[in-house]
Amino acid sequence: MKIGIPVVLFAFSVSSLWLTGCGGGDSNEATPAPAEATSTTYSGPEQQQASVADQSHPITGLWLGAAYIADEKLQAKLDSLNDDASKQNLMNQVRTFKSMLVGADFANDGSYTLDAEITPVGGQPARQQSVGQWEISSSVDEMVMVKSTESRQDGSTEETFKQYNFIDNDHFYWIPKLSEDLQACDAMVVFERQAQPVKTAAEPSQNDLR
């Protein structure tokens, strides 16, 4: 399966969605990655174990992600349904999923910021933010398992593991926990690397010029 990168998403400015990550579960440990994710594969280390953020790993940086669904598999799923109510239910799931925007900033100091927004059909946009520390739990070929330790407002922390699969050095995908219907449509979130904001020097004050 070849993934068609949803380029339309990447016209959004990162600053307009100041970064988060999808909360909730992760289906990657139970759901096998697509066999042919891309024609250009990430040529990372064959295997790697780490206990701290790896500044050299391609996942370090700023990312913007969009929901992706394989159109041909969606159509096949629709054709397999016998009643209009089931078809409408599936399309509502698809429209909700496709509304998802995700930003992620995996900083090279080991901190992360994640920000996700999704709009349910007939509902209001819902946004979830997460900040904390990240590290690479394991890495094999194009797959990397990232351990995130989220810092809560009450002072507690929560550890989660998410599997990301690289398409090339500037794109990776993540498969969240989804309904069986969406899983059958190869639903995933595809991320594209974003340029880091350029820091400009402050203009000198009059006192500095004296």
Side-chain angles (χ1 to χ4, degrees), residues 1-198:
M1 181 192 71
K2 300 289 182 68
I3 297 176
I5 303 298
V7 179
V8 64
L9 160 80
F10 305 126
F12 284 86
S13 167
V14 173
S15 60
S16 69
L17 181 72
W18 183 241
L19 304 169
T20 82
C22 276
D26 189 348
S27 67
N28 294 298
E29 292 180 335
T31 305
E36 296 179 18
T38 179
S39 57
T40 306
T41 58
Y42 157 62
S43 55
E46 182 177 351
Q47 185 168 8
Q48 173 181 334
Q49 296 288 336
S51 59
V52 295
D54 184 351
Q55 299 181 25
S56 66
H57 197 280
I59 202 167
T60 302
L62 201 59
W63 301 87
L64 188 59
Y68 164 87
I69 286 181
D71 291 338
E72 69 280 5
K73 292 196 174 183
L74 171 59
Q75 187 59 57
K77 184 64 179 178
L78 287 169
D79 292 341
S80 71
L81 300 175
N82 297 322
D83 60 281
D84 291 341
S86 296
K87 293 181 179 181
Q88 185 62 51
N89 178 60
L90 174 57
M91 288 310 301
N92 286 345
Q93 292 183 60
V94 169
R95 293 187 183 100
T96 296
F97 180 68
K98 281 190 170 183
S99 74
M100 182 185 296
L101 291 174
V102 183
D105 184 6
F106 294 102
N108 58 17
D109 64 358
S111 64
Y112 77 86
T113 306
L114 298 173
D115 195 348
E117 184 172 283
I118 191 167
T119 304
V121 171
Q124 297 298 314
R127 187 171 179 175
Q128 184 172 6
Q129 297 182 336
S130 171
V131 296
Q133 298 293 311
W134 74 276
E135 62 188 59
I136 296 174
S137 174
S138 63
S139 178
V140 180
D141 296 329
E142 70 275 6
M143 184 280 291
V144 58
M145 185 72 70
V146 172
K147 173 186 173 182
S148 301
T149 305
E150 180 183 358
S151 302
R152 300 282 181 91
Q153 291 184 347
D154 62 5
S156 64
T157 59
E158 180 181 2
E159 293 183 354
T160 58
F161 291 81
K162 286 185 169 58
Q163 177 180 315
Y164 301 121
N165 298 275
F166 271 82
I167 300 170
D168 54 39
N169 280 353
D170 294 322
H171 301 90
F172 68 84
Y173 65 89
W174 168 62
I175 304 175
K177 279 189 176 179
L178 298 166
S179 69
E180 291 184 2
D181 288 339
L182 290 181
Q183 289 180 40
C185 300
D186 284 345
M188 64 186 72
V189 179
V190 181
F191 289 80
E192 182 175 72
R193 186 184 301 279
Q194 304 295 302
Q196 291 285 352
V198 177

